[in-house]
Amino acid sequence: MARSPAVLALGRALAQARTAAGLSQQQAARQLGVSQSLISRSERGSRTPDASAVARMIELYDPPGALRAELGKLVDTVTVQQWSPVGSDEIAESLTDLERYERDASSITEVHPVLVPGPLQTREYAAALLAHGETPAIDMDQALAMRERRRAHVLGGDVGYVAIIDELALRRTTPPGGVDVRRGQLAALHEWSRLPAVSVRVIPAERGFYRGLVAGFEIIEFDDAPAVVHLEHYRSSTWLYSERDVAPVVATRDHLLGVALSEEESRTRLRALEGEL
């Protein structure tokens, strides 16, 4: 279970409680009679502390009521097979975890039948979406800054990035800005699709219905850990990290790669869509 989003959230809350108590990792380890590495790994999310260990930490740190309640909830959460943060604070923390996963990933695949995936959104396209309340749980400046960091990472060539996008998402005019916003987004996608570490695959409108059309998803894969799946909803998100839940999503991704146009065909389609404007 280590490295699951819920374990990361628990580690973050434990670190917050320890810091608020004025203790260093070394001091906490000494008073608990454990190694400092155990404290460090628990806070990084690379180790899942058992309930009794967390209870001892809570007793030592004596956090205020709200943080104590959050820790108790997270201890229960790490034993389940998926995690769904809801609300402004939890969404913001979940997106922070998303960035952390993407930095550690060996490959990322995003599937979106409705919109251009976040890391490949131009600033103008993203601002238009945010202005219309597409991410109501977080601040616009924060959301734009996050998209730019994610874009810099995937375009920087540190990770293999695949975007599978329905053509109808590319045909959607995005107000305000309208045609100009759409033209700029199509041009950027065409340019970025030529980068060695970026693959843009368009599912053409003539394909009609296909498996995976119902919703978008992101698969984050690692060299040294099992894959996780991130599902973004309107005011919440869901993380899947059990093999039982992740495997069907990976199978759908593989199916869609067969449905989509090739990389070169996708670039041709992007150029054609831009030429229609």
Side-chain angles (χ1 to χ4, degrees):
M1 191 68 70
R3 217 175 184 177
S4 79
V7 172
L8 288 179
L10 175 59
R12 186 171 53 244
L14 287 171
Q16 181 182 348
R18 175 184 55 74
T19 301
L23 296 170
S24 67
Q25 289 185 348
Q26 186 177 28
Q27 290 169 329
R30 186 181 303 117
Q31 293 191 45
L32 290 169
V34 299
S35 68
Q36 183 179 343
S37 66
L38 184 146
I39 300 293
S40 175
R41 286 183 285 122
S42 296
E43 293 182 0
R44 291 200 313 270
S46 59
R47 179 188 188 281
T48 306
D50 59 37
S52 62
V54 174
R56 292 177 61 210
M57 292 178 193
I58 293 174
E59 182 180 1
L60 173 62
Y61 303 155
D62 192 22
L67 183 53
R68 183 182 292 269
E70 180 186 358
L71 283 162
K73 180 178 67 174
L74 288 169
V75 171
D76 294 334
T77 301
V78 297
T79 63
V80 300
Q81 298 301 302
Q82 63 183 45
W83 181 47
S84 298
V86 179
S88 299
D89 291 341
E90 290 200 30
I91 288 294
E93 291 180 355
S94 178
L95 291 174
T96 297
D97 290 337
L98 175 62
E99 283 195 273
R100 179 174 175 179
Y101 275 118
E102 289 180 340
R103 287 196 302 269
D104 293 341
S106 57
S107 66
I108 300 169
T109 304
E110 287 202 67
V111 174
H112 222 307
V114 180
L115 301 170
V116 173
L120 296 186
Q121 292 176 7
T122 63
R123 185 176 181 86
E124 293 76 16
Y125 182 99
L129 292 176
L130 294 166
H132 282 69
E134 291 303 319
T135 55
I138 56 177
D139 174 81
M140 178 181 284
D141 289 339
Q142 177 187 1
L144 287 174
M146 176 172 290
R147 278 169 169 76
E148 289 176 358
R149 290 194 301 271
R150 294 177 66 201
R151 181 168 65 248
H153 177 64
V154 302
L155 298 184
D158 295 327
V159 59
Y161 180 84
V162 180
I164 303 175
I165 313 171
D166 192 290
E167 181 180 340
L168 296 181
L170 302 174
R171 289 184 174 277
R172 178 171 287 108
T173 301
T174 310
V179 172
D180 288 340
V181 169
R182 183 175 157 209
R183 182 184 291 112
Q185 179 64 76
L186 288 169
L189 279 175
H190 186 271
E191 177 186 351
W192 295 334
S193 71
R194 294 185 174 280
L195 296 174
V198 177
S199 175
V200 175
R201 304 286 299 277
V202 176
I203 299 179
E206 59 265 26
R207 288 283 193 264
F209 288 94
Y210 55 84
R211 187 166 127 204
L213 177 62
V214 66
F217 55 84
E218 179 175 359
I219 303 172
I220 307 174
E221 296 173 284
F222 310 92
D223 288 330
D224 58 352
V228 297
V229 172
H230 182 244
L231 308 174
E232 186 175 351
H233 312 302
Y234 185 60
R235 296 191 67 88
S236 65
S237 63
T238 297
W239 287 97
L240 308 177
Y241 41 90
S242 74
E243 173 63 20
R244 181 193 65 194
D245 293 329
V246 169
V249 183
V250 172
T252 297
R253 183 271 310 273
D254 295 343
H255 168 76
L256 292 178
L257 288 172
V259 169
L261 298 173
S262 69
E263 292 184 359
E264 189 56 42
E265 290 170 334
S266 294
R267 280 192 285 271
T268 300
R269 186 63 59 100
L270 287 168
R271 186 60 80 197
L273 290 170
E274 187 182 355
E276 292 177 6
L277 299 178

